[in-house]
Amino acid sequence: MASPRVVLKVSGESLQGQRESGIDPSALNDIARQIVECRNLGVEMGVVVGGGNLFRGRLAAELGMAEATAHYAGMLATVINGLALQDAIEAAGGEVRTMSALQVRQVSEIFIRRRALRHLEKGRIVLCVGGTGNPYVTTDTAAALRGIELDAHQLLMGKHGTDGVYTADPALDSTAARYAQLNYRDALQQNLGVLMDASALALCEEHSLPIVVFNIESADAIVRTVIDGPDLERAGTLVDHGETRLAG
Ligand code: UDP
């Protein structure tokens, strides 16, 4: 039987830990250790790396930079994070290949789908960097695309500062409730931006890729979510074709 395969989105924010920006070594090493542990427990691991801790294209464009150039700079930020994560994964004993959607040949292979599949089958962790290689979108779209084309059974969206998708922002509204399960349609209609970009979500819906949203900061969250599956009564949100329901 084929091994289970997931694609995990690691946002730039989750690598910055409690810092304002940049990379926090303890957050980085903890995420790397968990990715290696999941692989060692038999799950094929594709990882899509964000860059928002270093550079956000839209923000730079608002400050006056040419927008397309700003987005390319953002994609390069994901390469920097990817190299840091590659290093930490190797230090944790994992075998890893970094594959970029942008050509940065001295530091990474180019992303070629069939080669990525081969790496996964051989038990290597595949780090996807450079986003989609195209401006005006984010790494959420890259995560959806890689999840679909690498035939992942689940896309795991590790979040920073929230443990799932809520009916409203819990910081602003005390009546906000967590969705245990959320239908793609409802998520799109309610424009739940906390989950992921609408275009990325629509791709997941069209290709029936289930999304698990979880708090990447809670202890051992990646291992627990990947290996045990999300405990939706306690935390997290599963987005799929099922009925929308609140926790509890
Ligand atoms: N980006 C892009 N195309 C892509 C992926 C990313 O232009 O396919 C740029 C975009 O400007 C984005 C930046 O790279 O702001 C960093 O990625 P993102 O904000 O998605 O990182 P995350 O929020 O996951 O840390």
Side-chain angles (χ1 to χ4, degrees):
M1 204 177 81
S3 305
R5 177 181 298 158
V6 302
V7 164
L8 168 70
K9 160 83 194 285
V10 174
S11 69
E13 275 191 342
S14 54
L15 296 175
Q16 84 189 28
Q18 302 309 315
R19 296 179 179 217
E20 297 279 302
S21 66
I23 298 174
D24 172 34
S26 65
L28 174 76
N29 291 334
D30 188 53
I31 289 172
R33 173 194 60 78
Q34 292 188 61
I35 292 171
V36 172
E37 198 171 325
C38 292
R39 177 50 266 179
N40 290 344
L41 289 167
V43 179
E44 294 180 1
M45 298 293 294
V47 180
V48 172
V49 187
N53 56 323
L54 302 176
F55 202 93
R56 273 191 204 285
R58 194 169 296 159
L59 197 63
E62 278 166 22
L63 297 173
M65 191 168 172
E67 188 169 357
T69 308
H71 285 301
Y72 280 106
M75 286 182 257
L76 289 173
T78 73
V79 179
I80 296 175
N81 281 334
L83 291 183
L85 192 54
Q86 169 189 282
D87 191 65
I89 287 173
E90 280 181 347
E95 203 188 342
V96 58
R97 293 290 183 274
T98 303
M99 306 189 88
S100 176
L102 288 177
Q103 290 215 31
V104 278
R105 281 196 296 191
Q106 280 78 2
V107 296
S108 156
E109 296 178 20
I110 195 80
F111 180 83
I112 296 172
R113 173 176 172 267
R114 288 166 65 95
R115 193 175 273 176
L117 290 168
R118 188 84 185 110
H119 286 321
L120 290 169
E121 284 161 12
K122 285 188 168 175
R124 297 171 183 144
I125 295 158
V126 173
L127 295 185
C128 301
V129 301
T132 63
N134 298 291
Y136 307 107
V137 290
T138 71
T139 48
D140 287 354
T141 299
L145 286 171
R146 299 298 181 240
I148 295 162
E149 68 181 322
L150 297 177
D151 291 325
H153 73 269
Q154 255 175 5
L155 174 59
L156 302 168
M157 297 292 289
K159 294 283 171 187
H160 185 79
T162 182
D163 68 347
V165 183
Y166 283 73
T167 51
D169 183 347
L172 305 174
D173 182 346
S174 59
T175 65
R178 179 174 52 82
Y179 291 107
Q181 199 168 351
L182 185 56
N183 185 284
Y184 299 109
R185 283 282 99 200
D186 294 331
L188 280 164
Q189 273 158 14
Q190 291 173 45
N191 202 9
L192 294 169
V194 57
L195 170 59
M196 57 163 53
D197 301 344
S199 54
L201 186 56
L203 269 174
C204 293
E205 180 191 22
E206 197 179 332
H207 296 275
S208 301
L209 175 63
I211 307 161
V212 176
V213 181
F214 70 103
N215 183 358
I216 201 165
E217 293 167 296
S218 73
D220 254 356
I222 300 174
V223 176
R224 284 188 286 113
T225 309
V226 171
I227 304 301
D228 304 334
D231 180 0
L232 296 172
E233 286 318 310
R234 297 188 52 202
T237 301
L238 170 66
V239 186
D240 64 6
H241 287 296
E243 291 281 310
T244 295
R245 63 183 175 88
L246 295 173

